[in-house]
Amino acid sequence: MKHNLTGPDERGHFGIYGGRYVAETLMPLILEVERAYDTAKKDPVFQHELDYYFTHYIGRPSPLYLAERLTSHWGGAKIYFKRDELNHTGAHKINNCIGQGLLAKRLGKKRIIAETGAGQHGVATATVCALFGLQCVVYMGAKDIERQAPNVFRMKLLGAEVVPVHSGSKTLKDAMNEALRDWVSNVDNTFYLIGTAAGPHPYPAMVRDFQSIIGREVREQLQKAEGRLPDTLVACIGGGSNAIGLFYPFLQDASVKMIGVEAAGKGLRSGQHAASISRGQPGVLHGARSYLLQDKNGQVQDAHSISAGLDYPGVGPEHAWLNDTKRVQYVSATDDEALVAFQTISKLEGIIPALEPAHALAHVLKIAPKLPKNHLLVVNVCGRGDKDIFTVAKALGVKL
């Protein structure tokens, strides 16, 4: 039976989630982005441009790699890595940035603003702005600036202005708040390039569409390698762009199981985690309704994860809907489990993953040994780990 998933509706809702909860000042801008995107996605010239940069600039398609040593080590499922860490800039973020960058050019916007946590979206945005000759301002929490120093320097090298955010928890949520404030103040010349499948409509669907290249490639590559569809797809989830990019092209295939892995931080009972679906309640944040970490008064709580990219107290609205419809299973992995996976994959496969996909890999290490040898499991390695070596060294008590 096909799963009936046709969201979002014309108002940007996935069931009760999504929508546009924004200041009146922003509505004309949001509607302008929506109109431009609706026109662009039907335009073969736009698609041709997108395909050109995907191939010749990003380096797509990214490989689908059979992790033989890992598979043999665990003796269970056949594990494939979708290697989006091999994209230019080292993560999946560039897919969406190229798409939105082309859209900003179409709209004649000369100034791009973005938020970033792990810095990968900031680097990808700064890269695209350098490529297209656009001014770039990236908002980043002061705490994230501290733990992602290499990416901060990369952004500056690429010509971006990095603005530290000292409010709240000094992480991704606060960076997004500041970016939205900037957008309200600079309505004429500025385009807000959101990095994840969250925010007001049309961003969740637009980011999903640009990231769906991941799942479309997996479909084609696995057909070539194995002659059939995968049995299980696994991806980490903060806001959820890499996960929805992998899952979306398979949502209608009832035989394909999908698992999103949230950050359990220091444990789900510790209060220090970023598991918005597992431990959150529906509420409104950054222009959309979704699952959020909040207290009994509805105040958004601080999230915690060793991974700066998963350290967000909400999740994209489509994921909230996929959870409620039970099409996707959402689980979590702790900081410690991610650290074990980070080291295991490095030693067994010679691939140092980012801490974000290390959470997805941690879950793979739990389930793969129990699955049959003919079970095809694909995990999205959506970022490379060189940005995280200082964080990992500190966590392991290693002095560099």
Side-chain angles (χ1 to χ4, degrees):
M1 187 182 78
K2 286 197 169 184
H3 199 82
N4 182 27
L5 293 166
T6 54
D9 64 19
E10 68 284 351
R11 293 177 305 127
H13 287 95
F14 300 90
I16 64 166
Y17 304 105
R20 278 191 276 244
Y21 297 86
V22 296
E24 278 183 46
T25 338
L26 278 183
M27 272 309 280
L29 290 172
I30 298 268
L31 293 170
E32 182 186 36
V33 171
E34 183 185 17
R35 283 192 300 269
Y37 180 58
D38 283 345
T39 306
K41 66 183 174 185
K42 295 171 196 155
D43 184 352
V45 174
F46 182 82
Q47 195 54 55
H48 176 76
E49 275 187 298
L50 196 58
D51 291 345
Y52 172 84
Y53 286 109
F54 273 1
T55 305
H56 300 288
Y57 193 71
I58 297 175
R60 305 208 70 92
S62 64
L64 184 69
Y65 165 71
L66 173 59
E68 289 191 61
R69 290 201 69 215
L70 193 63
T71 298
S72 148
H73 181 76
W74 290 111
K78 209 168 182 182
I79 303 165
Y80 278 91
F81 290 175
K82 179 55 172 166
R83 298 203 56 197
D84 254 42
E85 97 281 6
L86 291 178
N87 294 340
H88 178 45
T89 71
H92 68 293
K93 294 292 188 183
I94 190 79
N95 304 325
N96 167 55
C97 290
I98 287 282
Q100 288 195 53
L102 288 170
L103 202 61
K105 272 179 69 182
R106 279 189 157 224
L107 285 166
K109 304 291 184 184
K110 302 288 186 198
R111 181 176 179 267
I112 305 291
I113 56 170
E115 84 297 328
T116 197
Q120 287 302 117
H121 175 59
V123 168
T125 302
T127 298
V128 167
C129 289
L131 176 66
F132 294 150
L134 304 167
Q135 183 190 351
C136 182
V137 178
V138 179
Y139 288 93
M140 191 170 187
K143 182 179 171 185
D144 291 338
I145 284 178
E146 211 174 284
R147 59 182 171 173
Q148 296 291 341
N151 274 344
V152 175
F153 186 54
R154 281 190 194 103
M155 285 182 260
K156 290 178 178 176
L157 276 176
L158 290 159
E161 178 191 350
V162 181
V163 180
V165 177
H166 295 280
S167 57
S169 59
K170 305 176 189 176
T171 57
L172 185 57
K173 165 180 69 79
D174 314 290
M176 203 162 182
N177 287 342
E178 287 306 317
L180 283 164
R181 284 190 194 104
D182 181 314
W183 204 18
V184 172
S185 312
N186 298 283
V187 291
D188 295 330
N189 67 337
T190 297
F191 184 96
Y192 183 10
L193 205 164
I194 292 181
T196 193
H201 178 65
Y203 281 98
M206 179 166 67
V207 173
R208 174 200 70 198
D209 292 350
F210 290 137
Q211 292 294 2
S212 289
I213 185 72
I214 299 168
R216 292 200 304 273
E217 286 177 4
V218 166
R219 206 180 173 93
E220 197 176 307
Q221 290 165 324
L222 203 63
Q223 195 66 40
K224 196 173 173 184
E226 299 280 354
R228 65 183 182 92
L229 291 175
D231 296 300
T232 302
L233 301 173
V234 184
C236 66
I237 175 165
S241 64
N242 95 86
I244 203 68
L246 176 64
F247 298 162
Y248 187 67
F250 294 95
L251 287 177
Q252 304 290 348
D253 299 295
S255 67
V256 181
K257 183 178 182 180
M258 300 175 205
I259 305 172
V261 186
E262 298 188 292
K266 295 180 180 177
L268 294 181
R269 292 179 182 174
S270 70
Q272 290 184 279
H273 58 76
S276 308
I277 292 179
S278 305
R279 286 292 185 270
Q281 300 291 330
V284 174
L285 178 67
H286 297 145
R289 181 179 170 86
S290 190
Y291 278 102
L292 311 175
L293 297 179
Q294 47 192 322
D295 63 21
K296 60 186 178 185
N297 298 316
Q299 293 299 306
V300 177
Q301 293 180 304
D302 291 342
H304 162 78
S305 171
I306 191 169
S307 151
L310 302 183
D311 199 350
Y312 182 64
V315 64
E318 190 162 8
H319 286 292
W321 187 45
L322 290 171
N323 174 71
D324 286 10
T325 58
K326 298 190 165 39
R327 179 60 187 98
V328 178
Q329 179 190 5
Y330 293 90
V331 298
S332 60
T334 64
D335 289 352
D336 288 346
E337 288 167 336
L339 282 166
V340 168
F342 183 97
Q343 294 169 88
T344 304
I345 307 309
S346 299
K347 286 170 185 169
L348 282 178
E349 290 294 346
I351 294 168
I352 302 175
L355 279 169
E356 289 80 17
H359 285 72
L361 289 158
H363 190 68
V364 168
L365 301 191
K366 281 182 204 170
I367 63 170
K370 301 169 193 167
L371 294 167
K373 288 183 188 296
N374 64 348
H375 191 101
L376 300 181
L377 190 155
V378 178
V379 58
N380 194 9
V381 183
C382 60
R384 68 175 187 234
D386 48 348
K387 70 180 178 62
D388 291 319
I389 55 168
F390 299 105
T391 302
V392 172
K394 187 178 175 185
L396 299 177
V398 176
K399 285 192 176 177
L400 296 179

